[in-house]
Amino acid sequence: MQNAQNILITGASSGIGEALALASAKRGARHLFLCGRNAERLESVADRCRAAGAEVQAQVLDVADETAARAWVNACEAIAPLELVFSNAGIGTGVENEENVRRTFATNVAGNLNIVLPALTCFRARSDKSGRRQIVITASIAGYAPLPACPSYSATKACMKPWALAWRKPLAREGILMNVICPGFIRSRITDFNTCPMPFFMEADRAADIMLDRVNRNVGLIAFPWPMRFASWFLSICPWRLAEFISNFLPEKNSDATNVSF
């Protein structure tokens, strides 16, 4: 497939979302609809995308707000029919207290529903079903197996991976594409707070190019780098007692950050 022209990206103020926005602009995207929770960082990303030639609408938005998220998706669709939707916004927490756990689930699970479901409604409402209609959800390799270092983050990403993949076949009958990205350690505000080892660490701009290339090829599960994918997959298929034993040797995530967004 050719590069999409009308692209919506959540969590675009930093990390993977920022890199996807900039890479999309450089690849010739015409309309970019970007949201994030930090106005200053978001506007900086928007300005750089405009300098690369894209028309950009930037909106400060918390995807956990269902009403606001739906209104924003509908407003973007009214400006230019969306071709590619990156439901990317997410947070991680280094302190598993009740407030942070609830916030992580509200953003990483409900936040995805608040973007994906309105986008599907927009896609289905179009009279012309021949155009590109594609949704990409950002999960994580951390979602392959339960990780004691990040229980809430691991669980929320584990939820998104099978949800997206299970949608692929029924949505394909409607001409709608669904993909899920499971990256390893990619530079972001979350990894900036990590104190644990981060094997196969990758800069966000390189990761964004990999993601966009595979999205354009409609790869269903976009998981990389492969050594981390294999290790996480192996841990997920181990008998539980063995997996629990192996987990005892994994490094702890000693982050002082309470909630950090992408």
Side-chain angles (χ1 to χ4, degrees), residues 69-92:
R70 184 180 299 275
W72 180 64
V73 172
N74 290 338
C76 296
E77 172 75 6
I79 294 171
L82 298 172
E83 297 176 326
L84 180 55
V85 172
F86 282 101
S87 186
N88 167 77
I91 62 174

Side-chain angles (χ1 to χ4, degrees), residues 14-254:
S14 64
I16 291 173
E18 174 185 6
L20 285 170
L22 293 170
S24 295
K26 292 173 183 177
R27 292 183 181 215
R30 181 179 178 187
H31 293 282
L32 285 178
F33 302 99
L34 311 179
C35 81
R37 293 193 297 168
N38 184 286
E40 184 178 353
R41 290 200 307 267
L42 182 63
E43 193 55 38
S44 173
V45 175
D47 285 342
R48 283 179 284 159
C49 290
R50 292 183 184 112
E55 297 180 27
V56 183
Q57 282 76 37
Q59 176 71 44
V60 175
L61 177 72
D62 183 351
V63 296
D65 184 333
E66 179 183 353
T67 301
R70 184 180 299 275
W72 180 64
V73 172
N74 290 338
C76 296
E77 172 75 6
I79 294 171
L82 298 172
E83 297 176 326
L84 180 55
V85 172
F86 282 101
S87 186
N88 167 77
I91 62 174
T93 181
V95 181
E96 296 280 334
N97 58 33
E98 181 173 348
E99 179 183 359
N100 292 340
V101 169
R102 290 185 181 278
R103 181 63 182 168
T104 302
F105 274 80
T107 302
N108 295 1
V109 178
N112 274 301
L113 304 185
N114 294 342
I115 296 297
V116 172
L117 297 179
L120 287 174
T121 299
C122 290
F123 287 171
R124 288 165 169 157
R126 292 180 193 166
S127 56
D128 181 8
K129 302 293 196 287
S130 62
R132 180 172 178 177
R133 296 173 295 162
Q134 187 170 14
I135 294 173
V136 183
I137 295 174
T138 300
S140 173
I141 280 181
Y144 270 66
L147 299 180
C150 51
S152 299
Y153 185 79
S154 174
T156 56
K157 295 304 182 179
C159 177
M160 288 299 100
K161 175 174 169 280
W163 188 67
L165 293 176
W167 266 112
R168 274 181 63 81
K169 185 173 182 178
L171 288 178
R173 299 190 191 105
E174 303 178 57
I176 299 172
L177 306 179
M178 177 74 85
N179 314 81
V180 62
I181 300 172
C182 293
F185 291 110
I186 309 299
R187 185 177 296 282
S188 68
R189 295 185 68 243
I190 291 178
T191 60
D192 287 345
F193 281 91
N194 282 354
T195 58
C196 63
M198 294 185 286
F200 307 102
F201 183 82
M202 188 179 295
E203 295 296 335
D205 55 351
R206 181 186 171 200
D209 282 332
I210 293 172
M211 293 172 188
L212 287 173
D213 287 344
R214 296 185 188 180
V215 164
N216 284 342
R217 287 160 40 205
N218 190 30
V219 175
L221 175 59
I222 303 168
F224 64 96
W226 74 263
M228 285 199 67
R229 179 180 182 180
F230 176 79
S232 299
W233 168 81
F234 178 77
L235 187 62
S236 73
I237 65 169
C238 284
W240 172 242
R241 287 183 181 274
L242 176 58
E244 191 170 37
F245 175 77
I246 294 172
S247 295
N248 291 330
F249 296 93
L250 298 178
E252 295 185 4
K253 183 178 178 181
N254 297 317

Side-chain angles (χ1 to χ4, degrees), residues 1-18:
M1 288 184 288
Q2 297 295 318
N3 292 317
Q5 294 296 299
N6 305 328
I7 305 174
L8 180 151
I9 305 172
T10 68
S13 59
S14 64
I16 291 173
E18 174 185 6

